[in-house]
Amino acid sequence: MREAIRLSIKSVETGGGPFGAVVVHNGSVISRGQNRVTATNDPTAHAEIVAIRDACQQLETFSLAGCELLTSCEPCPMCFGAILWARLDRVWYANTRDDAAQIGFDDRTFYDEIARPLPMRHLPMHELLRSEAQAAFTAWQRLEGKTVY
């Protein structure tokens, strides 16, 4: 955790947001990430995502089962989704989402938006061409030897 915190401080010192994360496998840090949103003009470049991407490259797999994530702050909804998809075993965090909100990183609206039914969301979402899109799902279902994730 101290490494994640060190990375969060380093991120601030280099113009990024105050977030750092590491992925640990078999007791060793295998990847590090710090907030790179403004440095890369990538809104998905949160410390957790950066660390997850690097860990997957290091282990040459899309599954981080058997690994743990240590992050300087409770993950936002996007990072939480990535953590679930990566199949990490456990997450440790230092600062809370309330701590983050107090310094201007308030994810409450994102948590609230996800919880709303689709028709009530502030971001309009509309189904379009579902019947045509089903062709890809049908092809996937029929595909033999596919890698399930």
Side-chain angles (χ1 to χ4, degrees), residues 38-117:
T38 58
T40 61
N41 293 318
D42 179 354
T44 69
H46 290 198
E48 297 91 336
I49 303 285
V50 172
I52 287 169
R53 289 174 179 161
D54 187 50
C56 289
Q57 288 181 354
Q58 296 299 322
L59 296 176
E60 297 181 345
T61 182
F62 55 83
S63 173
L64 296 179
C67 297
E68 296 183 359
L69 177 78
L70 291 90
T71 179
S72 65
C73 188
E74 181 180 354
C76 74
M78 176 184 69
C79 292
F80 182 65
I83 289 162
L84 294 174
W85 275 109
R87 309 295 196 259
L88 285 150
D89 288 358
R90 179 168 296 146
V91 175
W92 301 86
Y93 64 91
N95 292 311
T96 68
R97 68 174 89 168
D98 293 328
D99 297 330
Q102 289 179 2
I103 64 163
F105 293 92
D106 192 353
D107 297 332
R108 188 173 308 117
T109 49
F110 302 134
Y111 285 103
D112 291 347
E113 190 74 1
I114 290 168
R116 283 187 183 91

Side-chain angles (χ1 to χ4, degrees), residues 9-61:
I9 294 167
K10 182 179 176 186
S11 182
V12 172
E13 291 170 348
T14 58
F19 306 99
V22 298
V23 174
V24 173
H25 183 252
N26 293 332
S28 297
V29 173
I30 60 163
S31 71
R32 293 166 172 78
Q34 58 190 74
N35 184 277
R36 307 291 300 149
V37 171
T38 58
T40 61
N41 293 318
D42 179 354
T44 69
H46 290 198
E48 297 91 336
I49 303 285
V50 172
I52 287 169
R53 289 174 179 161
D54 187 50
C56 289
Q57 288 181 354
Q58 296 299 322
L59 296 176
E60 297 181 345
T61 182

Side-chain angles (χ1 to χ4, degrees), residues 126-137:
H126 308 282
E127 185 180 297
L128 182 64
L129 300 177
R130 180 174 176 235
S131 61
E132 290 182 34
Q134 288 290 306
F137 283 12

